[in-house]
Amino acid sequence: MSHVPEPDQRDQPDPSLRLLWRHRTGTPEEPKAKRGPKQKVSVDEVVDAAIDLADAEGLAAVTMRAIAQRFGLGAMTLYSYVPNRDALLVLMADQVTGRTELPELPEDPRKRLELVANLQHDELRAHPWLLEVQDVRPWLGPNMSDRYEWQLQAVDGLGLTDLEMDQTVAVLIGFAGNIVRGELMKRRAEQVTGMTEAEWWAANYDTLTEVMAGSHYPLANRVGTAAGEAYQAATDPARELDYGLARIIDGVLAHVNR
C-alpha cells in the first residue's frame, strides 16, 4: 500500500485566525467541553485578564500559567481557550485596539494626519507592551482592520496612490512608535539610576564641562547646550513628536502638491 503523505502544515489555515474573528464568524466564544460542567470563563475574559496583567507588570509576566491561575484553572485548561501564547498576544493586541474609540476625521488634511499619529502615540503610551508584540505574525483582526480602514480614510483624497497611502500610514504610526520607545528608554534609565535626567546632568555637569572644553565638538557643544537649557534634559520626546510629525506632514503635502 502506498504511503499517503501528511498534508503540509504550512498549507493549512491557522485556527487562531478564526478565533481572532470569533465575534464575526460565529465561532463559539467558549470552548465546548466533551463532558463536565460548562466552562467558567469566556475567551474575551481570558484576553482581558492578559491585557490587565501586561498593563500592570509588562508582557513578560503574561504566561499561560499566570492567566490560568487568575481564574483558578489549570494551565492546560487554558489551552482549550487559546492554542498558545503567541495566539494570546495577537488576541490581546486586537482586543486592546478595539478599546480605543476612533474619532471622526476632521476636514483639514494636516489635522487628519496628526490625529492618526497622535492616536497611535497615546495608545502605545497607555499599553507600551504593544511595542513588544512585533515578533508575532501580525494577523489582521477585526479591530486592527477597523483601525487600518480609519487610517486609510485619513489619507484618502490627498492625491496619493494606493501604495503611497499605505506607506504614509506606516510612516505616521512608525514615527509615533519610535517616540514612545524613546520615552520608555528615558523612563527605564531613571528607574535604573534612581535619578531624573535633570538630576544626572546636574551631578555630572562639572565633569562634562571639563572633558568638552576646547574639544573638537564645537557644534555639538553649542547645540547641546541650547537643547539642554530648553529641555532641562537630554531629550524632549513631546517636542520631538510635534516637530517630527510637522515635518513628515509637510513632506507628504508637498509631495501631493507637486
Side-chain angles (χ1 to χ4, degrees):
M1 180 181 293
S2 61
H3 174 69
V4 179
E6 293 288 334
D8 192 333
Q9 291 299 315
R10 292 173 298 180
D11 297 332
Q12 303 303 309
D14 193 318
S16 301
L17 190 59
R18 185 164 292 276
L19 183 61
L20 191 61
W21 287 81
R22 60 195 179 280
H23 294 300
R24 302 193 190 183
T25 62
T27 300
E29 188 177 340
E30 296 182 5
K32 291 184 177 180
K34 294 181 179 179
R35 59 176 63 90
K38 183 180 178 181
Q39 298 290 344
K40 290 183 178 180
V41 297
S42 67
V43 173
D44 281 351
E45 289 172 322
V46 168
V47 178
D48 280 337
I51 291 170
D52 291 343
L53 184 56
D55 286 345
E57 301 181 29
L59 200 62
V62 179
T63 65
M64 301 295 274
R65 181 177 299 278
I67 302 303
Q69 288 175 346
R70 289 200 163 200
F71 294 104
L73 301 172
M76 295 308 298
T77 303
L78 200 66
Y79 288 96
S80 65
Y81 292 88
V82 182
N84 51 58
R85 184 175 184 270
D86 282 353
L88 176 61
L89 297 183
V90 174
L91 291 168
M92 291 166 60
D94 190 77
Q95 195 147 307
V96 82
T97 296
R99 293 181 181 180
T100 301
E101 183 177 353
L102 298 176
E104 184 176 349
L105 292 166
E107 292 293 329
D108 185 343
R110 177 176 289 275
K111 292 188 180 301
R112 292 206 304 271
L113 301 184
E114 288 174 351
L115 187 57
V116 168
N118 284 323
L119 184 140
Q120 187 78 11
H121 172 266
D122 293 346
E123 182 175 77
L124 292 173
R125 284 195 71 186
H127 309 285
W129 53 267
L130 283 168
L131 291 168
E132 301 178 54
V133 189
Q134 295 188 341
D135 56 349
V136 179
R137 187 177 300 279
W139 301 320
L140 277 179
N143 295 310
M144 294 179 185
S145 296
D146 290 344
R147 173 73 59 84
Y148 183 52
E149 182 73 16
W150 177 82
Q151 291 166 336
L152 291 175
Q153 289 171 358
V155 299
D156 190 27
L158 295 181
L160 298 167
T161 67
D162 287 352
L163 289 180
E164 288 172 337
M165 288 171 62
D166 177 76
Q167 289 296 302
T168 299
V169 168
V171 168
L172 290 170
I173 64 176
F175 176 69
N178 285 335
I179 294 296
V180 176
R181 285 188 184 89
E183 293 172 344
L184 290 175
M185 289 176 63
K186 180 177 179 180
R187 192 182 312 161
R188 286 168 183 164
E190 291 178 352
Q191 291 172 345
V192 170
T193 62
M195 305 169 68
T196 66
E197 277 197 346
E199 291 169 340
W200 188 90
W201 284 100
N204 293 280
Y205 176 80
D206 291 341
T207 300
L208 291 170
T209 300
E210 178 184 348
V211 298
M212 295 296 289
S215 69
H216 299 290
Y217 312 112
L219 287 177
N221 199 0
R222 189 187 81 205
V223 174
T225 299
E229 290 175 354
Y231 305 159
Q232 291 298 298
T235 60
D236 187 339
R239 288 183 191 235
E240 292 172 17
L241 177 65
D242 291 342
Y243 180 85
L245 185 54
R247 301 294 76 79
I248 290 172
I249 296 174
D250 286 344
V252 172
L253 297 181
H255 172 66
V256 298
N257 288 329
R258 277 203 296 265

